[in-house]
Amino acid sequence: MNPKIAQLHDRLRELHGRTRDTPLFNPVFQLGLDFSRQLESGEIGLKEIDGLVSALECEGLLARAQKLDRMLSPMEPEANLDVFRQDADDFAAFADKWRHPLIHVVFTAHPTFLLTPAQSRAVAQAASDGQVNGDNVCTAPHERTQITLDSEHDAAMAAMSRAQHARDRIVRTLFETARESYPGEWKTLSPMPVRLATWVGYDMDGRTDIGWNTSIRYRLSEKAERLSGYAASLAEVAPAIAARLAAAAEHTGQMAALFARDLSDPALLGQSANALTSDHPDKLVSLSPVVAELEAAAQDADDETAIALLTVAAAMKADGLGMGWIHFRVNSSQLHNAIRRRLDPESKLDLSSQAALGAIRQAVQQARPLRTNFAALAIESSTAIRQFLAMQQILKHIDADAPIRMLIAECEQPQTVLAALYFAKLFGIDDKVDVSPLFETETALEHGGRFLDALLAEDEYRAYARQRGRVCIQTGFSDAGRFVGQIPASLAIERLQGRFADAMKANGLTDVAALIFNTHGESMGRGAHPASMKDRMEWPLSPWARRRFVRAGIRLEPEVSFQGGDGYLWFGTPELALATLTRIAENPPGQADPAVPTDQFYRRTDLSLDFYRAIRRVQNMHLVSATYSRAITAFGLGLLNDTGSRKSRRQSDLAADRKMSLRQIRAIPHNAILQQLGYPVNVIAGFGTAADTNREDIAALLSESKRGQQLVRLLRSADALASIKTVAAYGELFNSAYWASRPYRGTEEHLTDACLSLAEYLTKDDRIGAFRRLASRLRVDAMHLHKLMAAIPGGLRGPDGEWGAPLADREHKRRSIGVLQALRLALLQHMFLKAVQVPVFSRSNDVSREDVLEMVFTLRIEDALAQLRRAFPTSFPSIGDFAVDEASDYPDGGDSGYQAIRREFIDPIEQAYALVLRIGTAIANEFGAHG
């Protein structure tokens, strides 16, 4: 450890000791004050703080590599491939085991690109090489590049490519195993261990920057890349087929280039559309003939050649003419607007009514396919209908084989699903499109069971499900965790999954598969259990839920998301990709033993249901509380880096910032702010309070139940990093009394005026009260939690047994996070002091000096700096720019002070804020992920 960091750890440990004598003493804030005094006195500068931040950044990057290593080891490819070398009693059993995917893996574009590309590569390589305790990751530059939709798509495709190669190695191993064990039958094996998909470039929910031509361009570029990959794999074993695929790849690339142009020009659109839709000798829209050709050739080939041919054929059957399947996504409101145009143009119908259900049901029955073209797509104004038109064009002219998912966000009634089915039938693609409602809102989770009962009772929907061979739903752990807390969300989703199995059985749909797409992030607050890969796989689809389907005779198709840059790390190198798929195979999420006795957590619903409801009440209390909302939004989103191309919230003015609602902030930044403030409220809050009236019984249930133990492991992991003192420390920045008292003893006389200005400005500020009330509420709840954990055998400190260690090097990590928080507190104080010392300037563009101060307090630093630079410009026309003969003594340099203002105030604010954001990355790394 860096010697300076070690000294700071010791100092923080010493300060923590003072809380025994003075319970309200805040060691994190005091260390921040230590730093602040040194910084304002000139004893240290921003350069020295930069050095400390760099050392702690290194620790954070190592923490990310260590987590991958802990979750995925072993990394050695042969050790992982050995998992797939196990045969079965007979070929039929072996073939059936690998006939269906163990899991569908979906690469999404969630804004979780926390690390720079260089940092991501360094972390992934360190984990792959087992070099997770050195400083090899620390050389990666921290400078951030702009994140665009194209860069997100490129990153997703790179991760998918590594996943494809890992799957190919697994498939090849399966063929080799089958050849050894079943020499007469192995060539008929059709393995598909994993299916890949993406929605990057196809997700329209909450986005206006993705046009239909963007989706078409991406689909074409993906097709070109995949065809090139197939051709390369077949170059030696089937050169004639490889040549045809390479020609098709080149033709597809040319089409992608056409659709990259500005197609608002009708002439260019017509040219591009006609080129794509016309016949061409190199145009390929189905791989079925190629797959048949490869499988036929394999029958007469030698074993090594046959394995190579069959491995490519298996990849083609899994991915089709793309890098994987694609998911389009729209919001339910967009579908409602679209269906009204067709059925209710005067908006007289309540879409949640039985009358609307009957009208949409009749429309589905009467729908007849309509032909469309790219011109119809170009002029369509409805977002939802555009999606269906784009899907039709993709299926007609790009890939006729691979089905497409239509995800519906905020779906709370069966009418919405039937509306989607209507448009699928209207455009003749209902045989290739899987409509999937997303359950993530409070209403959807509470009434989801009745929703599914009603939807699956519809004759038209059941016929559609049988045509497709599956019923699809999506669950959202991220938003659900924001609305009701992560633990109640998981339990509510689990119950919904059980109701899904019941509804399928009750409506005679046991002959089709149940596809459950569980979307969760990489952090504890967004549904990723950090304790082990087993817990990670079981958290979104528990053994109890799986058994409901197994006992009903329903085949499960589990699907999970790997979201954004944080999620792509699992596939950051070929070794990581193979290890990830291997650990999934060791913990297959679609399998369960139906004979296992029911866990006590589900038997003792008199305890577990009340426990769940009580936690949810506490979480809801926070969500609707003005105190919680004001504290969480005190700095706006200014503590967070930009981590994606999608905006985290709508633009707003200063007045709106002061009254910002948590519902204005998406789930990822909400959770990220909790990490930055030091306490994962949406994971921890309520767990202790909920058990207070029945602590001994709840403790016994949690310790005896496998599901209960899993809840406790999540809770302990979050609590190991949590600090209520840190939450309170941020409130003190807005404490008028602190600023008035800071120079009181005369130790910082040079700051007297600045401190008094801050004190006067903050006398009416409400943030200090909000933070103190929140910290008090969290402390009371934490005390109840401490009592509960003390009642659970080994719950407080047990390093082994059922609980496992909550965190490796727990105290070291807590101290490092504490030092990071203290450094940031000092930097924020530095920014506040610099801002308040900026000379008075005239009001411009309706922005006053007080407005700029508020921008700094809410960390809208770019806006604040723009206003200050406008008020104090340093770039002027020079007298030397003009060819004038007459001499002039003016300007004489008497008003050149703006350079000094820029140097003394504006530049330090900018430099300090850059360090604030780097600290945010380091803290998120210690928590395991952004958001």
Side-chain angles (χ1 to χ4, degrees):
M1 181 169 49
N2 182 296
K4 291 183 179 180
I5 301 300
Q7 291 175 6
L8 293 171
H9 278 214
D10 292 340
R11 171 63 173 160
L12 194 55
R13 188 179 298 108
E14 173 196 340
L15 292 172
H16 270 287
R18 295 191 194 177
T19 59
R20 294 188 180 90
D21 298 324
T22 309
L24 289 178
F25 179 77
N26 195 314
V28 177
F29 190 78
Q30 181 60 50
L31 184 59
L33 178 57
D34 291 350
F35 283 131
S36 181
R37 283 174 170 158
Q38 292 174 319
L39 182 59
E40 303 310 327
S41 69
E43 184 179 339
I44 62 172
L46 292 177
K47 183 178 180 180
E48 286 75 17
I49 290 183
D50 186 309
L52 295 174
V53 171
S54 294
L56 291 163
E57 272 181 323
C58 178
E59 285 194 16
L61 293 172
L62 284 171
R64 295 297 293 273
Q66 288 161 0
K67 178 183 177 182
L68 286 172
D69 180 70
R70 174 175 60 83
M71 298 284 278
L72 292 179
S73 288
M75 298 292 179
E76 295 77 13
E78 285 306 310
N80 285 316
L81 290 173
D82 280 343
V83 172
F84 303 94
R85 292 188 172 110
Q86 302 170 12
D87 58 12
D89 293 337
D90 54 43
F91 177 75
F94 185 81
D96 186 65
K97 178 180 179 180
W98 297 108
R99 185 163 56 96
H100 298 291
L102 297 174
I103 197 168
H104 297 220
V105 173
V106 184
F107 296 84
T108 75
H110 283 79
T112 62
F113 291 83
L114 175 69
L115 304 182
T116 68
Q119 288 173 332
S120 293
R121 289 192 294 270
V123 167
Q125 197 60 55
S128 298
D129 297 341
Q131 303 295 320
V132 297
N133 294 311
D135 57 1
N136 49 312
V137 301
C138 305
T139 57
H142 59 76
E143 287 79 13
R144 303 187 70 81
T145 56
Q146 184 179 4
I147 302 169
T148 65
L149 183 63
D150 281 346
S151 68
E152 290 172 341
H153 186 262
D154 290 344
M157 294 305 104
M160 293 180 77
S161 177
R162 289 186 286 269
Q164 288 165 355
H165 289 300
R167 183 187 58 198
D168 286 348
R169 297 187 71 176
I170 293 170
V171 168
R172 182 178 181 85
T173 300
L174 293 174
F175 275 118
E176 291 171 346
T177 301
R179 180 187 61 185
E180 295 298 321
S181 301
Y182 320 106
E185 302 168 287
W186 70 273
K187 289 185 179 181
T188 64
L189 184 68
S190 183
M192 191 180 295
V194 63
R195 174 166 275 131
L196 309 175
T198 183
W199 78 37
V200 184
Y202 309 97
D203 171 17
M204 303 294 184
D205 179 31
R207 300 196 72 141
T208 58
D209 60 329
I210 300 178
W212 64 265
N213 56 311
T214 306
S215 299
I216 298 294
R217 171 170 64 90
Y218 281 160
R219 193 66 186 87
L220 285 165
S221 68
E222 292 163 20
K223 177 180 177 179
E225 182 177 352
R226 198 68 179 108
L227 282 168
S228 295
Y230 292 145
S233 298
L234 294 171
E236 293 185 7
V237 293
I241 298 176
R244 298 204 311 267
L245 295 175
E250 183 177 356
H251 175 263
T252 304
Q254 294 169 358
M255 296 302 101
L258 293 177
F259 278 85
R261 301 180 298 178
D262 180 7
L263 298 188
S264 61
D265 182 340
L268 288 180
L269 185 144
Q271 183 188 73
S272 302
N274 291 337
L276 178 61
T277 60
S278 63
D279 291 334
H280 190 281
D282 295 329
K283 182 177 179 179
L284 185 64
V285 295
S286 175
L287 283 173
S288 295
V290 180
V291 171
E293 195 174 350
L294 292 174
E295 291 179 336
Q299 299 308 310
D300 299 323
D302 62 81
D303 286 359
E304 284 303 312
T305 300
I307 289 175
L309 294 171
L310 292 172
T311 298
V312 176
M316 289 179 172
K317 286 189 280 188
D319 297 335
L321 284 165
M323 297 298 285
W325 287 4
I326 59 172
H327 291 187
F328 279 80
R329 192 164 85 135
V330 296
N331 192 279
S332 61
S333 61
Q334 294 169 328
L335 267 173
H336 294 167
N337 293 336
I339 198 68
R340 281 192 185 282
R341 281 177 43 184
R342 305 288 299 186
L343 305 184
D344 183 32
E346 298 180 2
S347 297
K348 294 182 178 180
L349 196 61
D350 178 3
L351 288 181
S352 63
S353 65
Q354 287 297 310
L357 181 61
I360 299 173
R361 180 190 300 128
Q362 185 177 13
V364 172
Q365 293 168 348
Q366 297 175 353
R368 298 295 179 267
L370 301 177
R371 293 182 303 166
T372 69
N373 58 24
F374 278 102
L377 176 55
I379 65 173
E380 178 55 52
S381 61
S382 163
T383 299
I385 294 177
R386 271 203 310 270
Q387 297 290 72
F388 284 97
L389 296 176
M391 287 189 284
Q392 187 192 59
Q393 297 306 309
I394 288 171
L395 289 165
K396 281 199 299 184
H397 302 298
I398 300 176
D399 186 348
D401 295 334
I404 299 174
R405 192 80 51 81
M406 169 53 84
L407 304 169
I408 309 172
E410 298 181 3
C411 189
E412 297 179 349
Q413 51 199 28
Q415 289 90 326
T416 310
V417 177
L418 291 181
L421 177 55
Y422 163 75
F423 286 115
K425 291 193 70 174
L426 186 66
F427 299 116
I429 56 176
D430 54 305
D431 62 329
K432 287 292 183 180
V433 171
D434 291 309
V435 177
S436 177
L438 167 57
F439 298 90
E440 62 180 345
T441 65
E442 297 160 278
T443 300
L445 291 176
E446 185 173 349
H447 304 295
R450 289 192 291 274
F451 173 115
L452 291 169
D453 288 336
L455 177 63
L456 271 57
E458 293 289 328
D459 291 339
E460 287 294 324
Y461 183 83
R462 288 201 304 274
Y464 159 72
R466 287 196 169 90
Q467 178 186 34
R468 288 295 309 129
R470 62 172 59 92
V471 179
C472 302
I473 68 168
Q474 180 187 5
T475 66
F477 284 76
S478 190
D479 267 315
R482 172 168 61 120
F483 292 133
V484 301
Q486 187 51 231
I487 288 175
S490 177
L491 296 176
I493 290 171
E494 178 183 45
R495 182 170 179 268
L496 175 70
Q497 292 164 347
R499 291 288 299 272
F500 184 28
D502 294 342
M504 289 185 69
K505 183 178 180 180
N507 288 282
L509 286 172
T510 58
D511 55 336
V512 300
L515 191 151
I516 302 178
F517 180 17
N518 291 310
T519 46
H520 62 77
E522 291 301 318
S523 69
M524 293 175 274
R526 297 186 53 242
H529 202 299
S532 66
M533 202 63 175
K534 183 175 187 294
D535 279 340
R536 180 187 171 99
M537 300 310 299
E538 290 183 355
W539 185 255
L541 188 59
S542 71
W544 175 85
R546 299 175 197 175
R547 281 193 290 273
R548 300 290 286 268
F549 291 93
V550 173
R551 289 169 179 168
I554 300 169
R555 182 171 63 85
L556 260 175
E557 288 190 72
E559 189 169 65
V560 296
S561 59
F562 285 84
Q563 297 184 355
D566 283 346
Y568 301 169
L569 271 178
W570 297 87
F571 299 87
T573 65
E575 294 81 10
L576 287 177
L578 180 58
T580 297
L581 296 184
T582 304
R583 300 293 86 75
I584 291 173
E586 290 174 335
N587 300 278
Q591 299 177 15
D593 183 355
V596 171
T598 302
D599 190 303
Q600 284 296 314
F601 195 83
Y602 310 102
R603 287 184 179 275
R604 293 296 309 275
T605 53
D606 57 320
L607 290 175
S608 58
L609 191 57
D610 286 347
F611 186 54
Y612 152 79
R613 288 170 175 162
I615 299 174
R616 182 169 172 168
R617 279 195 297 272
V618 174
Q619 289 283 343
N620 183 69
M621 178 271 291
H622 284 302
L623 184 69
V624 302
S625 164
T627 291
Y628 180 73
S629 180
R630 185 63 173 130
I632 298 308
T633 62
F635 298 102
L637 301 182
L639 293 174
L640 310 178
N641 289 282
D642 286 334
T643 55
S645 63
R646 187 179 76 175
K647 295 299 181 184
S648 295
R649 72 176 177 94
R650 297 187 296 274
Q651 292 294 315
S652 61
D653 57 21
L654 287 169
D657 270 358
R658 297 185 187 104
K659 300 178 181 178
M660 189 190 301
S661 165
L662 287 177
R663 294 185 183 273
Q664 285 180 271
I665 301 176
R666 299 181 187 276
I668 292 173
H670 172 242
N671 197 68
I673 290 170
L674 294 177
Q675 292 175 348
Q676 296 303 316
L677 294 180
Y679 200 84
V681 178
N682 59 347
V683 179
I684 300 173
F687 202 88
T689 300
D692 191 48
T693 59
N694 203 3
R695 187 177 303 118
E696 297 303 324
D697 288 342
I698 293 294
L701 178 65
L702 294 175
S703 63
E704 296 168 4
S705 156
K706 292 294 185 184
R707 182 62 160 163
Q709 293 165 10
Q710 196 175 60
L711 300 180
V712 173
R713 284 195 293 273
L714 178 72
L715 198 287
R716 292 176 80 236
S717 296
D719 190 53
L721 296 169
S723 168
I724 297 172
K725 290 289 187 182
T726 299
V727 177
Y730 280 102
E732 295 305 306
L733 294 176
F734 302 100
N735 185 355
S736 174
Y738 162 70
W739 290 108
S741 303
R742 176 166 171 171
Y744 179 69
R745 292 288 183 180
T747 55
E748 296 179 291
E749 290 185 359
H750 62 294
L751 296 179
T752 298
D753 290 342
C755 287
L756 290 179
S757 295
L758 283 170
E760 185 176 0
Y761 184 86
L762 292 169
T763 51
K764 297 180 181 179
D765 196 277
D766 63 338
R767 278 168 284 202
I768 175 60
F771 271 102
R772 285 183 172 179
R773 287 191 298 275
L774 176 60
S776 295
R777 293 171 186 175
L778 296 178
R779 180 63 69 193
V780 170
D781 182 62
M783 292 303 295
H784 289 306
L785 175 62
H786 188 85
K787 291 180 180 179
L788 173 61
M789 298 305 287
I792 298 174
L796 282 181
R797 299 190 178 278
D800 303 310
E802 297 293 349
W803 308 124
L807 192 68
D809 300 323
R810 176 182 182 271
E811 288 307 311
H812 178 89
K813 287 184 180 295
R814 289 181 64 86
R815 297 285 182 255
S816 289
I817 293 173
V819 172
L820 284 164
Q821 299 284 16
L823 284 167
R824 187 162 57 187
L825 287 165
L827 290 166
L828 293 174
Q829 293 180 70
H830 188 62
M831 293 161 61
F832 289 6
L833 288 166
K834 291 295 183 184
V836 82
Q837 293 178 80
V838 172
V840 175
F841 57 88
S842 59
R843 190 179 187 93
S844 175
N845 296 328
D846 258 351
V847 177
S848 67
R849 182 172 182 270
E850 288 69 26
D851 291 332
V852 172
L853 285 177
E854 190 58 36
M855 289 177 185
V856 173
F857 291 150
T858 55
L859 299 187
R860 288 177 55 166
I861 301 302
E862 289 185 8
D863 293 340
L865 293 176
Q867 295 297 333
L868 291 175
R869 286 172 179 142
R870 187 177 296 117
F872 302 103
T874 57
S875 178
F876 304 94
S878 169
I879 196 168
D881 295 341
F882 302 90
V884 177
D885 293 334
E886 185 179 7
S888 175
D889 296 324
Y890 182 84
D892 59 357
D895 58 353
S896 61
Y898 285 180
Q899 287 284 3
I901 291 173
R902 180 73 64 95
R903 183 178 61 253
E904 295 297 325
F905 303 113
I906 299 175
D907 290 347
I909 292 174
E910 183 176 37
Q911 293 161 12
Y913 186 54
L915 290 168
V916 164
L917 293 178
R918 287 171 58 191
I919 288 171
T921 299
I923 290 173
N925 281 332
E926 294 288 5
F927 272 89
H930 174 78

